[in-house]
Structures are given as structure tokens and as C-alpha cells.
Amino acid sequence: MKEIRKNKSEVIRIQLKEYEGHKLIDLRVWYEDKETGEYKPTKKGISFNRNFALNVTNAITEVLSDD
């Protein structure tokens, strides 16, 4: 799992998951529960397969190179 801080109370977690026998990459926003201090997932996120992940990575690289 990789984690990127989004702001003071949220992080984006990127992790490998399995659903119905398919390996997926899950990219999701997690928030810190103020009562327990634990991070909990939000509905803000996306899961996709490896091929789609490669397409997203290539698209991000292209957009950054246009800058």
C-alpha cells in the first residue's frame, strides 16, 4: 500500500485488492475519525484492473509532459 497525504485529515491510499478473483488497484480517499484517530474509507475512489491502470499512468505522464 502507498499513501499520499491529501490534507490535514485525509489521505489517498493506493492498494492492490482482489474482488471475485480479479486483482484490482484501489485508489481511495480515507479520512481520520476524530473520535478514534483511525482512518476510514470514503466513497470517493475508483478501482480498476492492471491494464486500465497502465493507461491512466500513461495519460498522467503525458499531461505532465505537456506542462
Side-chain angles (χ1 to χ4, degrees), residues 26-59:
D26 186 65
L27 189 137
R28 189 155 313 277
V29 176
W30 292 61
Y31 72 96
E32 185 177 8
D33 184 307
K34 293 182 181 183
E35 292 180 17
T36 65
E38 294 180 29
Y39 279 91
K40 297 183 178 179
T42 69
K43 292 182 180 182
K44 298 175 186 175
I46 185 171
S47 293
F48 38 80
N49 66 31
R50 179 181 172 85
N51 290 336
F52 189 79
L54 293 172
N55 290 337
V56 170
T57 302
N58 291 335

